[in-house]
Amino acid sequence: MRPVHFSRFCISSNFRKALSLPASAAFLNQSKDSSLSVVEAMRNLGLEYEHGIRANASLAVSWYRKAAEKEDPEALCRLGLLYCHGGLGLQTNYVKGVGCLRQAAEKGHVEAMFFMGDAYRLGWVSDSDGTAAFAWYLRSAEAGDKDAMYVVALYYADGKFGFPSDRELSLLWLRKAAEAG
């Protein structure tokens, strides 16, 4: 399985614009830049406080939470991973983390779908559940995630978790993963 690489997350093309907005404007829902939503500004401020020059873990978590409260899928996914891995000073909390990931996945966030597969495979939800893990990986693969395509191919190749081995389906998903890059 792939390790979690937070840098894989998509950062808005408006990232620089978000950083130029005063934090108070995002908080008060009063952005003067109509091309950047308030929620994007909140999420991007979280990213800036996590990865930027002005790194501040508590502010990063605070801005991710504000964006997650507005049901931003990217912020929900980010916050979910931080809870699951105990990042930025948060205590590891699989219940909160998987809850955030599930919300993001149900909103169509492709990476959150993949991480829901990890949650079931690794037992973050309860006991490890290969069938539920496969269902989330397949959903992510069908939505275009190349890593999920590869995992689905491995499931079919190995016949894991009671799935029959299926060489043709395995090759099909390997080709799709290769074509996706």
Side-chain angles (χ1 to χ4, degrees), residues 33-94:
D33 183 350
S34 62
S35 69
L36 179 68
S37 78
V38 172
V39 177
E40 283 179 308
M42 291 174 176
R43 177 185 355 108
N44 289 346
L45 284 166
L47 286 165
E48 170 59 16
Y49 283 119
E50 182 178 2
H51 300 289
I53 297 169
R54 301 170 288 205
N56 182 319
S58 64
L59 283 174
V61 170
S62 174
W63 284 110
Y64 287 141
R65 283 184 177 142
K66 287 177 191 334
E69 287 170 7
K70 302 281 187 186
E71 299 184 7
D72 177 63
E74 186 74 23
L76 284 163
C77 184
R78 184 80 193 109
L79 194 57
L81 288 172
L82 290 171
Y83 275 122
C84 288
H85 294 284
L88 293 182
L90 291 176
Q91 290 283 13
T92 300
N93 185 327
Y94 294 125

Side-chain angles (χ1 to χ4, degrees), residues 113-132:
M113 293 174 198
F114 182 93
F115 292 122
M116 282 300 298
D118 282 352
Y120 279 99
R121 183 180 57 83
L122 298 170
W124 295 347
V125 178
S126 58
D127 292 332
S128 182
D129 181 345
T131 303

